[in-house]
Amino acid sequence: MNRFVQRWAVFVGLVVVWELLTWFAEDPFFPRPSEIVVAAHGLWFSGPPGDLFLTDAVFEHMLPSIGRLLAGWSIAAVLGISLGVALGRSATATDYAGPLLTFMRSIPPPLLVPVFLLVFSAGTQMQLATIVFGVLWPILLNSVDGARSVDTTKFETSAVFRIPKAQWILGVVLPSAAPKIFAGLRVSLSLSLVLMVVSELVGTDNGIGSQLLVAQREFDFPDMWAGILLLGVLGYALNTVLLAFERKALAWQPKQERTPATVEEKV
């Protein structure tokens, strides 16, 4: 309980300071937190009781954005883990694929938005391609590293008992690589939120990114900051859910075998 109070006391204190500073500054570009909360309520939580007080903007913008984010991240997770484990357990594949992977992951994903627009045209496919390409690399590289780090004793024991290949991958390699895989998933989840917004700034009329762009063009700064607040809340909520799942999935491992605690885990 004390830890919870300490954690949120700092946050509340910063919000109070922000409120006071913006109150005295009266800068239209930086509205007060109280104004931002009022704008957020009007945008998303002032609907009819039959819709749980959710407005049309939630169904037209927020939910589609979350769907794209989770779909792109899930596709990248399946591809990254599958390719990463295959490359990590191959003696020569990484040597051949290494230069190509280094080249591809060095390209900033936002720069490829025009390319994806030409290939897929504006819409969900372009947005998913942008998210998948950008978030694939942390998952892939961590999976390669995790698959390589399988204990030699486990490998030799499985060879002695002639464990089938599929069972060995699922029962030995993936559990051993899981801490590093989850580290890549955490990084990629944050990136997917950023790329979701970037992909919605071009050629689309719905989504949180589109809402932010409209608010900026109309100089509606409380609504713009409300969108930024929403992104922060979404990022925190998604990261909390993933951390809870990770702790449950890795509960069987000794603590010394897990990856070092991140800032999110410590607080």
Side-chain angles (χ1 to χ4, degrees):
M1 185 64 180
N2 290 335
R3 189 177 179 183
F4 176 84
V5 173
Q6 291 173 357
R7 181 193 311 174
W8 288 101
V10 175
F11 175 78
V12 172
L14 291 174
V15 172
V16 171
V17 172
W18 182 7
E19 178 80 24
L20 294 174
L21 290 176
T22 51
W23 182 277
F24 290 110
E26 295 185 352
D27 189 334
F29 298 102
F30 297 95
R32 297 189 296 274
S34 55
E35 292 182 85
I36 298 172
V37 171
V38 170
H41 177 269
L43 280 172
W44 302 303
F45 305 110
S46 58
D51 291 333
L52 301 177
F53 300 100
L54 300 177
T55 64
D56 291 339
V58 173
F59 301 100
E60 295 176 5
H61 298 286
M62 187 189 301
L63 294 183
S65 288
I66 296 174
R68 295 179 192 120
L69 184 157
L70 294 178
W73 180 72
S74 300
I75 294 171
V78 172
L79 292 176
I81 294 172
S82 302
L83 291 175
V85 171
L87 291 173
R89 295 312 306 170
S90 173
T92 58
T94 307
D95 294 334
Y96 290 103
L100 177 62
L101 295 179
T102 302
F103 173 79
M104 295 294 289
R105 72 185 181 92
S106 300
I107 301 174
L111 293 181
L112 292 179
V113 170
V115 177
F116 293 141
L117 274 172
L118 291 174
V119 176
F120 300 106
S121 72
T124 302
Q125 290 183 338
M126 180 275 291
Q127 294 158 350
L128 288 178
T130 303
I131 296 171
V132 170
F133 180 85
V135 306
L136 174 66
W137 310 111
I139 304 173
L140 175 61
L141 296 177
N142 277 273
S143 298
V144 170
D145 195 23
R148 283 178 171 177
S149 63
V150 177
D151 186 19
T152 305
T153 302
K154 295 179 181 179
F155 177 76
E156 293 175 350
T157 302
S158 62
V160 169
F161 285 96
R162 297 181 180 179
I163 296 177
K165 189 74 172 181
Q167 185 178 349
W168 178 66
I169 293 291
L170 295 175
V172 178
V173 177
L174 282 180
S176 299
K180 293 186 178 181
I181 291 175
F182 272 109
L185 290 173
R186 289 199 304 269
V187 174
S188 64
L189 185 60
S190 300
L191 287 175
S192 64
L193 185 65
V194 176
L195 292 173
M196 177 266 290
V197 175
V198 171
S199 67
E200 292 175 347
L201 295 177
V202 181
T204 184
D205 57 357
N206 75 331
I208 299 173
S210 177
Q211 272 193 310
L212 284 170
L213 190 60
V214 170
Q216 180 190 19
R217 289 174 176 173
E218 295 179 353
F219 300 98
D220 191 345
F221 297 111
D223 281 6
M224 185 186 75
W225 279 96
I228 296 173
L229 174 65
L230 174 63
L231 293 174
V233 172
L234 279 177
Y236 180 84
L238 292 172
N239 186 68
T240 300
V241 171
L242 181 58
L243 283 174
F245 181 78
E246 178 183 356
R247 292 190 188 102
K248 188 173 182 179
L250 301 183
W252 59 273
Q253 285 195 328
K255 290 186 177 180
Q256 61 269 22
E257 292 186 13
R258 303 181 195 176
T259 52
T262 61
V263 173
E264 300 98 317
E265 294 172 301
K266 290 180 180 178
V267 298

